[in-house]
């Protein structure tokens, strides 16, 4: 949210202070995650200093596995004047469930790969309809 008395930053300054590339800032703006205020006479975007906190929140949320859609939902709660902490907690709990499912899937895959490798057979001739008989025989 833009405030009238805050210092305005150009997109290059936002990039330097946040370590978020200009292209990403433009993308986030197109998604509505951040907003710029008026443009300068030369057409450059101007951002309120509060954009730095939003970018930090977005980066941290992404590092915790949240999607941009999920982050957008959280920022909408915040923009309505509410803290999204309960929503963050629920989303992080869901991430743990997803991670546990991925771990189970990866362990199953690991076991399958180990089985294929333990029963490895060398095939020296091409067989019609197969690319690698070891993978395709089951």
């Amino acid at each position: 949210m833009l405030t009238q008395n805050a210092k305005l930053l150009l997109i290059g300054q936002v990039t330097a202070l946040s370590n978020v590339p200009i292209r990403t800032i433009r993308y986030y703006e197109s998604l509505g995650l951040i907003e710029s205020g008026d443009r300068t006479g030369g057409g450059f975007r101007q951002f309120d200093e509060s954009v730095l906190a939003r970018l930090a929140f977005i980066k941290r949320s992404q590092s915790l596995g949240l999607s941009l859609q999920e982050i957008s939902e959280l920022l909408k709660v915040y923009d309505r004047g509410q803290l999204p902490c309960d929503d963050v907690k629920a989303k992080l709990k869901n991430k743990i469930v997803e991670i546990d499912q991925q771990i189970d899937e990866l362990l199953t895959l690991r076991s399958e790969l180990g089985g294929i490798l333990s029963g490895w057979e060398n095939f020296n001739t091409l067989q019609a309809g197969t690319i690698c008989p070891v993978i395709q025989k089951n």
Side-chain angles (χ1 to χ4, degrees), residues 108-123 132-138:
T108 300
L109 177 59
R110 184 180 194 277
S111 176
E112 183 179 354
L113 294 173
I116 289 171
L117 290 172
S118 70
W120 191 265
E121 298 176 42
N122 285 324
F123 293 91
C132 178
V134 176
I135 292 175
Q136 292 176 286
K137 71 180 181 180
N138 291 335

Side-chain angles (χ1 to χ4, degrees), residues 26-71:
R26 289 181 182 143
Y27 180 62
Y28 290 168
E29 185 179 15
S30 74
L31 295 177
L33 297 173
I34 61 173
E35 62 181 55
S36 62
D38 294 329
R39 292 185 180 243
T40 65
F44 295 102
R45 290 171 172 85
Q46 293 180 312
F47 294 89
D48 183 283
E49 283 181 310
S50 64
V51 75
L52 299 175
R54 285 179 84 93
L55 289 171
F57 177 80
I58 293 167
K59 285 172 56 176
R60 178 64 175 144
S61 297
Q62 285 181 305
S63 76
L64 295 173
L66 297 181
S67 69
L68 290 177
Q69 176 61 42
E70 291 170 315
I71 295 166

Side-chain angles (χ1 to χ4, degrees), residues 3 11 15 17-18 20 35 46-47 83 96 98 114 120 124:
T3 58
I11 196 166
T15 293
L17 293 168
S18 66
V20 176
E35 62 181 55
Q46 293 180 312
F47 294 89
L83 287 177
I96 290 174
E98 289 175 17
W120 191 265
N124 296 323

